[in-house]
Amino acid sequence: GDGGGSDRAAGFHTYNASLALELLMEPKAVVLLAHRADDSGTDRIPVGTYALVTRDVRRSGGWKACKYQMAGYYSRGSCTTYAVLDSLCVKVSQSADGTWRADDSFGGPGCHPKQEWSPPKTRRIHAPSSGQPPKLSTVRMLSAGHVTVRSARDPEMAALNITQGTMFFAEGAAEASATGIILLVLGLALLVPGLLLSAPYVRRLVRGTAVLQARSKALKKDTLGPTDVFDDIL
């Protein structure tokens, strides 16, 4: 069914697709239940409030940028985009009294710096060209809906934070080496025009020096006396 109609699935009654999609757009509180290993209790860990489907309307410079870059629907200078909640990842830690809680080290309770340590990971849905909301079948197909719980003491979390999510520890040295090579190439490139421009002046300088030396020798011979000439020959 389309965004304004109804969907029918095997074994289920017909329902209003538009109403169902609006319900999916309502933020819901997400809570994890952590059972302690010693069976001393269960901890409720609030993760946040998230909607399964989000709609965003913002100003756009044109329909091409809206459609091809943002996968949105353009109308009257605005671009409407949709996104579906793909997954949640939360890192947790245990306090001294044994209580489990969401750990906000490194900037948030999420698991990756490229998401600014925010738990949700969303996926863009192509907005229909009709201007209607996306079909529920599209939402079901794209939405994975899984939750991952990581330990805040996991060394991978610290490694992701140090490397800004790249897991490449030699990035600083590589950047410095690349910068040095680039500066060396630029220096050589700038040196070549200077040498070409200075070549005529160098040739003139060499010729001028040779002429001055020749004139100096000639002048010296003209000013020498008989004795000086004899001494020069000896």
Side-chain angles (χ1 to χ4, degrees):
D2 56 22
S6 61
D7 282 359
R8 179 185 294 273
F12 294 92
H13 296 289
T14 302
Y15 57 88
N16 188 299
S18 298
L19 179 59
L21 190 62
E22 290 297 329
L23 292 175
L24 293 179
M25 290 183 181
E26 293 182 2
K28 305 293 183 181
V30 179
V31 178
L32 296 178
L33 298 180
H35 299 280
R36 302 182 188 179
D38 57 0
D39 295 330
S40 60
T42 301
D43 299 320
R44 294 175 56 87
I45 306 175
V47 177
T49 304
Y50 310 102
L52 292 178
V53 179
T54 56
R55 175 171 49 200
D56 181 54
V57 181
R58 63 181 63 186
R59 300 292 298 177
S60 176
W63 69 271
K64 289 185 178 180
C66 176
K67 180 177 180 179
Y68 296 108
Q69 297 181 11
M70 304 175 66
Y73 171 74
Y74 181 80
S75 177
R76 300 179 181 179
S78 297
C79 185
T80 302
T81 58
Y82 296 89
V84 62
L85 182 63
D86 181 61
S87 61
L88 288 173
C89 186
V90 185
K91 62 180 185 298
V92 298
S93 59
Q94 194 172 24
S95 60
D97 61 356
T99 304
W100 288 97
R101 60 179 179 81
D103 189 279
D104 58 358
S105 58
F106 308 134
C111 304
H112 208 286
K114 291 187 176 181
Q115 296 173 214
E116 298 181 352
W117 297 104
S118 181
K121 180 181 179 182
T122 59
R123 184 183 300 183
R124 185 69 57 85
I125 303 177
H126 286 276
S129 57
S130 62
Q132 296 292 327
K135 297 180 180 180
L136 286 180
S137 57
T138 303
V139 174
R140 287 194 296 264
M141 180 178 63
L142 293 178
S143 179
H146 63 272
V147 178
T148 303
V149 181
R150 305 286 298 270
S151 172
R153 296 184 178 181
D154 189 340
E156 185 178 354
M157 297 292 99
L160 287 170
N161 181 61
I162 294 173
T163 61
Q164 296 298 315
T166 64
M167 296 298 286
F168 182 53
F169 291 92
E171 185 173 5
E175 289 181 357
S177 178
T179 302
I181 293 175
I182 292 173
L183 292 177
L184 180 60
V185 172
L186 288 176
L188 293 175
L190 295 174
L191 181 62
V192 171
L195 293 176
L196 294 177
L197 292 174
S198 63
Y201 298 97
V202 173
R203 286 196 296 267
R204 291 179 185 178
L205 180 61
V206 173
R207 291 177 182 175
T209 302
V211 171
L212 289 176
Q213 290 178 352
R215 291 182 179 178
S216 177
K217 290 181 179 180
L219 182 61
K220 182 178 180 181
K221 290 181 178 180
D222 292 340
T223 56
L224 290 175
T227 305
D228 295 333
V229 174
F230 180 76
D231 292 338
D232 185 57
I233 294 174
L234 293 177

